[in-house]
């Protein structure tokens, strides 16, 4: 069974208002939340076959922290600049392009694209918070089949969620 987990980047820093949006690093809270949320993935027994991430600094830092916690090589993370402010169609396009030999994929990115994609696939969410995770199971063995009628909500978690 295919599994996809959309993970919004952890809280970003606004300490330097002159930085481009793409280059904003994680805030102190983000640096604290990212490993905590990665540990929750580990507790669920999640072992990614692929990590796909936006190239934005806050997303890439979140992806690296998560990869380290899950024992996934940082060198194997696939970086995709088009996931930065990517529309739901763009995000889906990159998921559809993945090899069917990959069963569990983590995608690190941004809102509003993630919110819209989650709702399109049948999730019911107003806002995916920073460092939030939304998982779907795919009722197919082909990534190209990821669409509403083939997606099943698996879980939703976020830093302020109480275990």
């Amino acid at each position: 069974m295919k599994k996809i987990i959309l993970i919004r980047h952890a809280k970003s820093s606004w300490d330097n208002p002159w930085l481009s949006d793409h280059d904003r690093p994680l805030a102190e809270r983000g640096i604290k939340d990212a490993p905590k949320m990665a540990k929750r993935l580990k507790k669920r027994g999640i072992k990614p076959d692929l990590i796909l991430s936006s190239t934005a600094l806050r997303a890439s830092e979140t992806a690296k922290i998560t990869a380290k916690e899950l024992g996934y090589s940082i060198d194997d993370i696939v970086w995709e600049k088009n996931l930065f402010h990517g529309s739901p169609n763009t995000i889906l396009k990159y998921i559809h392009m993945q090899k069917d030999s990959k069963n569990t994929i983590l995608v690190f990115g941004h809102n509003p694209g993630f919110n819209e994609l989650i709702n399109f696939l049948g999730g019911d969410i107003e806002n995916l918070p920073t460092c939030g995770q939304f998982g779907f199971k795919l009722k197919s063995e082909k990534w190209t089949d990821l669409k509403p009628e083939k997606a099943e909500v698996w879980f939703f978690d976020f830093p302020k969620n109480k275990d």
Side-chain angles (χ1 to χ4, degrees):
M1 176 177 287
K2 304 284 186 229
K3 298 172 185 170
I4 185 87
I5 304 166
L6 303 175
I7 302 173
R8 185 174 173 201
H9 62 80
K11 184 74 176 165
S12 59
S13 172
W14 287 88
D15 289 346
N16 182 348
W18 306 112
L19 277 179
S20 77
D21 188 37
H22 189 273
D23 297 333
R24 279 190 289 117
L26 292 179
E28 197 171 312
R29 188 175 102 202
I31 292 168
K32 184 182 80 176
D33 285 347
K36 174 173 114 177
M37 293 305 295
K39 282 178 175 62
R40 290 188 192 176
L41 291 173
K42 193 173 188 175
K43 190 175 176 182
R44 288 181 188 275
I46 292 169
K47 294 181 170 121
D49 297 307
L50 175 67
I51 292 180
L52 180 62
S53 178
S54 159
T55 56
L57 185 56
R58 59 194 180 274
S60 67
E61 288 178 334
T62 307
K64 288 175 184 176
I65 290 167
T66 303
K68 184 177 177 189
E69 185 65 39
L70 297 178
Y72 185 92
S73 173
I74 290 171
D75 293 335
D76 291 337
I77 297 172
V78 176
W79 307 104
E80 182 47 63
K81 66 180 171 113
N82 293 321
L83 291 176
F84 178 59
H85 293 307
S87 69
N89 284 339
T90 298
I91 300 164
L92 261 179
K93 176 180 104 176
Y94 284 98
I95 296 168
H96 286 165
M97 290 170 48
Q98 301 313 311
K99 294 179 180 169
D100 291 330
S101 61
K102 308 293 184 188
N103 290 311
T104 301
I105 299 176
L106 277 54
V107 182
F108 290 82
H110 313 267
N111 279 345
F114 274 0
N115 285 344
E116 294 168 5
L117 180 57
I118 288 165
N119 286 310
F120 172 73
L121 291 174
D124 185 15
I125 191 170
E126 235 176 83
N127 180 49
L128 183 62
T130 52
C131 220
Q133 307 166 340
F134 203 103
F136 288 96
K137 291 182 179 179
L138 178 58
K139 300 176 204 170
S140 175
E141 290 305 314
K142 295 181 179 285
W143 287 113
T144 54
D145 287 342
L146 182 59
K147 50 191 162 203
E149 56 273 16
K150 297 275 187 169
E152 173 185 310
V153 172
W154 178 18
F155 72 91
F156 169 43
D157 198 5
F158 53 95
K160 292 182 180 177
N161 191 17
K162 303 294 180 209
D163 284 336

